[in-house]
Amino acid sequence: MSPAWLLALIPFLAGLAVTATYAVQLVTEILRRTTGNVIEATVTGHVASREATYATLHPVVSWTAPDGTAHERALPDDAPARALPEGARVRVRFDPAHPELAALDSDARHRQAVTGVCVGITLWAGTLIVVIWRLAYVLNHLREYVSWRY
């Protein structure tokens, strides 16, 4: 086998990294869903952040917790800013012990995390299967060569 097979490490390691990243997001979403409270909130504005090469608008949402504490923060969201105009009522899921982990109550982030985990597993498991298949082929060919020679 040539050293070019070491290039198989690239999709394998990339798959592991993608799986780990989205697995953390998936665990966070599951914890938010199991321990969080759902509260009605109001969009009070938008704040821009530069996530990639373009600016993204995130809704700034304010709500009052059951204990009377007022909160206002920019929440990560995949919906376009025009879908959440100022004054719109939205549902926020948050844990009173960790209000900084609040997020809009939607399935988008959960679906994104599940899809990311599946893509990551496909990358590393597919690469592993191809490498094992190739090793089995080479070892079988070598066994036939050795038995033919003697």
Side-chain angles (χ1 to χ4, degrees):
M1 238 162 54
S2 71
W5 274 94
L6 287 176
L7 290 176
L9 282 175
I10 295 171
F12 181 77
L13 294 176
L16 286 177
V18 167
T19 301
T21 301
Y22 282 106
V24 168
Q25 181 179 341
L26 183 61
V27 168
T28 303
E29 286 301 312
I30 290 171
L31 287 175
R32 185 179 290 130
R33 287 169 178 243
T34 57
T35 63
N37 298 333
V38 177
I39 290 191
E40 290 287 322
T42 305
V43 177
T44 59
H46 294 88
V47 64
S49 70
R50 189 168 284 287
E51 291 185 347
T53 58
Y54 55 91
T56 304
L57 290 177
H58 297 289
V60 177
V61 178
S62 66
W63 72 91
T64 303
D67 64 356
T69 308
H71 298 278
E72 183 176 41
R73 39 181 101 262
L75 301 179
D77 183 37
D78 296 332
R82 65 182 173 276
L84 297 172
E86 287 187 36
R89 300 290 294 167
V90 294
R91 293 167 44 109
V92 173
R93 186 173 291 273
F94 85 107
D95 182 3
H98 303 285
E100 68 276 358
L101 296 178
L104 293 177
D105 187 32
S106 80
D107 291 334
R109 291 177 59 82
H110 187 265
R111 282 193 307 267
Q112 179 185 23
V114 169
T115 303
V117 168
C118 290
V119 167
I121 288 173
T122 301
L123 269 173
W124 69 260
T127 304
L128 192 61
I129 289 169
V130 168
V131 168
I132 290 172
W133 187 280
R134 176 66 180 159
L135 282 173
Y137 175 79
V138 168
L139 289 175
N140 188 36
H141 186 69
L142 183 64
R143 184 179 57 87
E144 289 175 3
Y145 176 74
V146 170
S147 65
W148 175 78
R149 203 156 173 200
Y150 294 107

